[in-house]
Amino acid sequence: MLKNIAIIMGGYSSEYEISLKSGAVVFETLDRSKYNPYAIHIFKNKWVYVDDNAKETPVNKDDFSVTINNKKITFDCVFNAIHGSPGEDGYMQGYFELLNIPQTSCSMYQAALTFNKRDLLATLKPFGVKTAESYYLNHGDTINEDAIITKVGLPCFVKANKAGSSFGISKVYKKEDLKAAIKLSFKEDNEIIIEQFLDGVEVSVGVISYKGETKVLPITEIVSENDFFDYQAKYEGKSQEITPARISDDYATKVTRVAKKIYKILKLKGFSRSEFIFKNDEPYLLEVNTVPGLTKESILPQQAAQAGIGLKDLFGNTIEESIKK
């Protein structure tokens, strides 16, 4: 019997357009001999099932069901393709846990922790994971430019603490530009993180649970045409993403070990993608994404292809593993 799979996409953040693309790729790719996929759009003002003719049917939030032609449809598993809130920060995970519906991403606590860069880095530090020097601000805090520069130096990165896809991020070279960058980040989030600039090779490492094993995918090197790997670089072709990365075996071994260690320490499941920059021959962690992009251009699908794992297999495996748990 075919399993009903809800593919949730959209979300409440600036990343909703990318999420809709990721969800559409999952919808198109899922094996129709095993699954009945349903496209579910999650927005602040509506949760709806969208059929092939773009007709919308409301989702019953009491049990996450939809009624189509007087027939109630419930789901065997939810494929989470929401980047940002509420799919990557723990809200949807908690909701599905309460309803006892399996879902493909990590659990609620892990999602909330990894989405908060400050708390993630603080959690991993005692385990020897290297990170850039950083300075934190909450909305309303006094901004002391001298204290910030003493801690992190110039140039530095100013970014939202709990937002993905490089929204609200600036690279700051001069003290007088700090306040404008901070203001921009506060548009995305009420907490911001200001980080030391690390000048080195940037890599992205996908780690997945595949056939019951933790598997590190081939590493991707990020070469941005812009000043850094911002939204344009990430989604509008302004970067080169080279898989496998042009790094030494020593670098590859080190970053693979750290990425796998992070996945296990945090007890992640499903897909994850961690970003690192090498400094003094060591990988420094920038962030961990637990709902990475799944569009044709996205890094994790490129890495899976390099490992000989097609999208149909990649997506099907994570559904089967989620249902088993």
Side-chain angles (χ1 to χ4, degrees):
M1 197 164 147
L2 297 183
K3 295 185 177 95
N4 289 339
I5 309 297
I7 303 159
I8 58 171
M9 59 188 96
Y12 303 167
S13 78
S14 310
E15 297 183 76
Y16 77 91
E17 288 178 6
I18 306 300
S19 171
L20 291 176
K21 287 181 182 171
S22 288
V25 170
V26 177
F27 182 84
E28 287 157 19
T29 307
L30 281 189
D31 186 343
R32 297 301 195 273
S33 69
K34 293 181 181 173
Y35 309 116
N36 277 324
Y38 291 80
I40 307 282
H41 290 196
I42 305 274
F43 291 108
K44 275 186 176 157
N45 61 341
K46 61 180 180 182
W47 289 22
V48 289
Y49 157 62
V50 182
D51 71 12
D52 294 343
N53 302 313
K55 180 173 178 277
E56 297 183 351
T57 304
V59 172
N60 181 345
K61 291 184 187 176
D62 293 343
D63 59 1
F64 198 70
S65 65
V66 291
T67 301
I68 304 162
N69 300 328
N70 296 322
K71 186 176 175 228
K72 182 174 174 171
I73 309 283
T74 55
F75 299 102
D76 299 292
C77 182
V78 173
F79 194 110
N80 182 6
I82 297 178
H83 316 310
S85 189
E88 204 166 1
D89 55 4
Y91 286 101
M92 296 308 291
Q93 289 85 346
Y95 169 72
F96 291 122
E97 248 162 73
L98 289 172
L99 291 177
N100 206 20
I101 301 172
Q103 55 87 31
T104 57
S105 58
C106 63
S107 299
M108 177 182 79
Y109 173 71
Q110 282 78 1
L113 177 65
T114 50
F115 199 67
N116 186 313
K117 295 182 185 79
R118 175 180 65 190
D119 294 355
L120 169 72
L121 300 177
T123 300
L124 290 172
K125 215 168 190 174
F127 293 94
V129 175
K130 292 180 170 56
T131 61
E133 280 291 344
S134 51
Y135 188 103
Y136 303 103
L137 282 173
N138 292 324
H139 199 267
D141 283 357
T142 304
I143 298 165
N144 181 336
E145 286 119 311
D146 292 326
I148 293 167
I149 291 163
T150 300
K151 181 91 188 282
V152 301
L154 287 171
C156 63
F157 281 108
V158 179
K159 47 187 164 181
N161 188 41
K162 308 185 299 290
S165 274
S166 310
F167 282 103
I169 181 169
S170 310
K171 187 174 180 182
V172 176
Y173 292 87
K174 300 197 292 281
K175 176 180 168 179
E176 52 267 33
D177 295 338
L178 254 180
K179 279 202 167 132
I182 288 166
K183 193 175 172 187
L184 178 73
S185 285
F186 276 135
K187 284 184 181 166
E188 286 292 327
D189 190 10
N190 59 4
E191 298 171 6
I192 67 170
I193 177 170
I194 304 169
E195 282 183 334
Q196 164 197 21
F197 167 61
L198 299 176
D199 191 8
V201 178
E202 182 169 353
V203 294
S204 187
V205 188
V207 185
I208 63 173
S209 178
Y210 184 71
K211 301 195 188 309
E213 302 284 322
T214 300
K215 183 176 179 67
V216 180
L217 297 172
I219 299 161
T220 300
E221 180 184 349
I222 310 291
V223 185
S224 176
E225 288 172 31
N226 291 3
D227 199 13
F228 58 93
F229 193 45
D230 61 3
Y231 183 87
Q232 273 192 318
K234 206 176 264 192
Y235 295 115
E236 295 174 8
K238 300 278 180 159
S239 70
Q240 281 179 282
E241 291 150 15
I242 301 158
T243 313
R246 302 165 302 180
I247 55 175
S248 67
D249 290 346
D250 176 50
Y251 273 28
T253 302
K254 281 177 177 171
V255 81
T256 295
R257 192 184 298 133
V258 175
K260 194 171 193 175
K261 176 178 166 179
I262 290 167
Y263 193 93
K264 292 196 160 172
I265 289 167
L266 298 177
K267 298 187 173 69
L268 296 179
K269 72 180 187 74
F271 307 148
S272 81
R273 205 190 71 229
S274 303
E275 318 296 330
F276 297 88
I277 286 181
F278 282 93
K279 178 191 171 193
N280 304 330
D281 297 330
E282 293 293 333
Y284 280 63
L285 177 70
L286 300 179
E287 62 176 0
V288 175
N289 302 286
T290 57
V291 186
L294 300 171
T295 67
K296 304 275 196 295
E297 300 78 39
S298 297
I299 293 169
L300 192 99
Q302 289 179 33
Q303 295 175 337
Q306 192 73 33
I309 303 170
L311 289 184
K312 192 178 279 188
D313 183 17
L314 184 72
F315 299 155
N317 175 78
T318 197
I319 288 169
E320 294 307 320
E321 291 204 347
S322 304
I323 289 170
K324 269 183 215 156
K325 286 187 172 162

